[in-house]
Amino acid sequence: MKVTVVGAGNVGATCADVLATREIANEIVLVDIKEGFAEGKALDIWQKAPIIGYDSRTVGVTNDYSRTADSDVVVITSGLPRKPGMSRDDLISTNAGIVKTVTEQVVKYSPNAIIIVVSNPLDVMTYQAHLTSGLPREKVFGMAGILDTARYRAFLAEALNVSPKDIQAVLMGGHGDTMVPLPRYTTVGGIPVTELIGKEELDAIVQRTAVGGGELVKLMGTSAWYAPGAAAAQMVEAIVRDQRRVFPVCIELQGEYGINGVYLGAPVILGKNGIEKVIELQLNDEEKALLETSRGHVKEVMDALDNMSKATA
């Protein structure tokens, strides 16, 4: 098995490190545009192999996609973080251009690869990669839900003073402020979370999850990388090992939940073919309303990308 990670920044390098440490692929190729950057990160990860005890080979290349040929899975983390004075449209335009160029190279050398998008704004970058690749939605999707649920579960574990291993949860919708929490589907060792924590405290945890990325930016001055990188690696593992894990991922909905053509987080079964099945939950009226709000927000950003594309056509 061969996995490529595009972007050797904090998230991409963390993803590659987790993939190697867990021996998820025989070969992991790290790609970046900055001369020597990916080579250095990959070499550092490889030199850790004798210490930790793994044999996955990591190699780095500078903008040479021929070295990624015949990858089974490609993780795209490329893109710029939003900087002071940069509008949302500026970020969309810049990162869409990067994701488009990267996706073209990925498909050229690995036409059968499954593509996982991590670049932000996540939902619309998944849209861009899907458009550019021409691949079916089952093979091009985004990582957001695993990260969001991990934050949610971590906060719950802290509040309840229990192991995060015992907490299962589902979140839907867009990545960010309009994500849709589903406390009805949250359990602790099989016990509904609503039996263990009060509504007010649970609502506060849900709100903290929604702005989880922003909390880290305020603390560190930059975006998170350990959890996002590990989340992307977990998706790769489910595919490579055909685990058929149930994860929330960003996918183009095609009628599910009454939504068409919008990229939103939804629970799926993830296996060797990518998305094996989209799971439709029976949402109540309140949850449906929240999902519709999230849909509207993501569609607005997708429309912004479409308008930019028309303007430059």
Side-chain angles (χ1 to χ4, degrees):
M1 279 289 179
K2 181 176 181 178
V3 176
T4 288
V5 180
V6 184
N10 289 332
V11 175
T14 298
C15 179
D17 184 51
V18 174
L19 290 171
T21 304
R22 293 178 60 83
E23 296 183 317
I24 290 168
N26 305 87
E27 183 180 13
I28 299 144
V29 181
L30 198 54
V31 184
D32 204 274
I33 60 171
K34 184 178 178 181
E35 188 71 38
F37 195 56
E39 289 88 338
K41 292 285 185 79
L43 183 58
D44 194 14
I45 294 170
W46 176 237
Q47 290 173 353
K48 182 164 63 76
I51 301 169
I52 303 299
Y54 55 84
D55 52 31
S56 291
R57 186 73 172 89
T58 52
V59 296
V61 295
T62 301
N63 238 16
D64 179 11
Y65 283 85
S66 66
R67 188 64 182 80
T68 73
D70 301 319
S71 293
D72 296 283
V73 184
V74 176
V75 180
I76 300 176
T77 72
S78 310
L80 299 178
R82 186 166 173 175
K83 299 174 182 176
M86 180 183 281
S87 70
R88 183 198 64 177
D89 285 358
D90 289 338
L91 182 65
I92 294 169
S93 177
T94 300
N95 284 354
I98 293 170
V99 169
K100 182 176 186 293
T101 300
V102 167
T103 304
E104 288 169 346
Q105 293 298 309
V106 167
V107 174
K108 177 181 178 181
Y109 290 101
S110 302
N112 298 313
I114 291 169
I115 299 173
I116 300 171
V117 180
V118 184
S119 308
N120 276 318
L122 188 281
D123 308 293
V124 74
M125 290 307 107
T126 304
Y127 173 41
Q128 178 67 73
H130 192 188
L131 281 178
T132 304
S133 70
L135 295 171
R137 66 170 182 162
E138 290 81 9
K139 299 189 73 172
V140 186
F141 40 88
M143 186 293 294
I146 293 177
L147 172 61
D148 293 333
T149 54
R151 287 170 173 162
Y152 178 46
R153 291 159 63 197
F155 297 152
L156 281 172
E158 189 176 11
L160 295 170
N161 196 24
V162 299
S163 169
K165 295 177 183 178
D166 289 331
I167 300 176
Q168 293 296 320
V170 178
L171 292 170
M172 291 184 62
H175 179 47
D177 296 354
T178 63
M179 69 176 65
V180 181
L182 298 173
R184 288 195 303 126
Y185 294 99
T186 303
T187 61
V188 183
I191 303 166
V193 72
T194 49
E195 293 188 17
L196 300 174
I197 193 169
K199 185 179 185 304
E200 187 175 325
E201 189 175 3
L202 183 58
D203 288 346
I205 288 172
V206 167
Q207 179 55 31
R208 186 183 179 192
T209 303
V211 297
E215 179 180 0
L216 289 163
V217 171
K218 287 179 182 178
L219 289 168
M220 303 188 295
T222 186
S223 301
W225 62 87
Y226 293 125
Q234 189 176 53
M235 291 176 71
V236 174
E237 181 177 27
I239 295 164
V240 168
R241 294 180 174 163
D242 192 24
Q243 292 177 328
R244 298 185 66 83
R245 298 288 303 273
V246 176
F247 288 139
V249 308
C250 177
I251 182 175
E252 180 193 24
L253 294 179
Q254 297 177 351
E256 296 90 359
Y257 301 96
I259 296 171
N260 268 297
V262 179
Y263 292 72
L264 289 171
V268 306
I269 297 173
L270 203 57
K272 65 179 179 180
N273 300 308
I275 292 177
E276 307 281 354
K277 180 183 180 182
V278 178
I279 298 171
E280 283 199 74
L281 304 174
Q282 298 301 310
L283 303 182
N284 60 34
D285 290 342
E286 181 184 359
E287 292 160 348
K288 287 177 182 176
L290 290 171
L291 187 60
E292 175 56 26
T293 298
S294 193
R295 182 207 66 79
H297 175 78
V298 172
K299 184 64 167 64
E300 183 182 311
V301 184
M302 288 173 59
D303 289 344
L305 177 62
D306 289 339
N307 291 333
M308 290 174 198
S309 300
K310 291 174 185 175
T312 57

